[in-house]
């Protein structure tokens, strides 16, 4: 499912226009982004938790030449599914 299909699904299930569904989805995505950017996590009970973790700097290899190169430390988003989501899949 891509973003436009998700918007279509939200609009159909909620009996709202696609424009309203788009605004709602964009609002949710924006809220998650801004919360993660502040270093906080977003927990949606039954769905899962979005959090930020730090990835340490490391040495990688250029696959073409085999030369070593430094990869900078970075903050990366992580998602940990909730129990209800896991149970729905099994």
């Amino acid at each position: 499912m891509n973003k436009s299909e998700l918007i279509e699904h939200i609009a159909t299930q909620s009996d709202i226009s696609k424009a309203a569904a788009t605004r709602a989805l964009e609002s949710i995505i924006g809220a998650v982004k801004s919360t993660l950017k502040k270093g906080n996590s977003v927990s949606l009970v039954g769905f899962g938790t979005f959090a930020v973790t730090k990835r340490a700097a490391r040495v990688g290899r250029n696959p073409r030449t085999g030369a070593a190169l430094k990869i900078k430390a970075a903050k990366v988003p992580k998602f940990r599914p909730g129990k209800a989501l896991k149970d729905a899949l099994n």
Side-chain angles (χ1 to χ4, degrees):
M1 176 179 279
N2 61 29
K3 190 174 181 179
S4 62
E5 292 170 341
L6 181 58
I7 290 169
E8 176 75 32
H9 181 77
I10 292 169
T12 303
Q13 293 295 312
S14 302
D15 195 29
I16 58 176
S17 69
K18 284 186 183 180
T22 301
R23 288 191 303 273
L25 183 60
E26 291 295 334
S27 176
I28 291 168
I29 292 170
V32 171
K33 280 183 186 178
S34 66
T35 302
L36 292 177
K37 191 168 186 169
K38 292 176 187 174
N40 298 325
S41 64
V42 177
S43 295
L44 303 172
V45 177
F47 183 69
T49 302
F50 295 92
V52 177
T53 59
K54 293 180 181 177
R55 186 170 54 202
R58 62 193 192 279
V59 176
R61 296 255 173 227
N62 181 335
R64 195 176 310 174
T65 64
L69 52 106
K70 294 179 183 177
I71 300 173
K72 295 180 182 178
K75 294 179 186 175
V76 293
K78 296 282 183 172
F79 176 74
R80 191 173 68 236
K83 184 178 182 331
L85 180 59
K86 287 188 223 177
D87 291 346
L89 299 176
N90 294 317

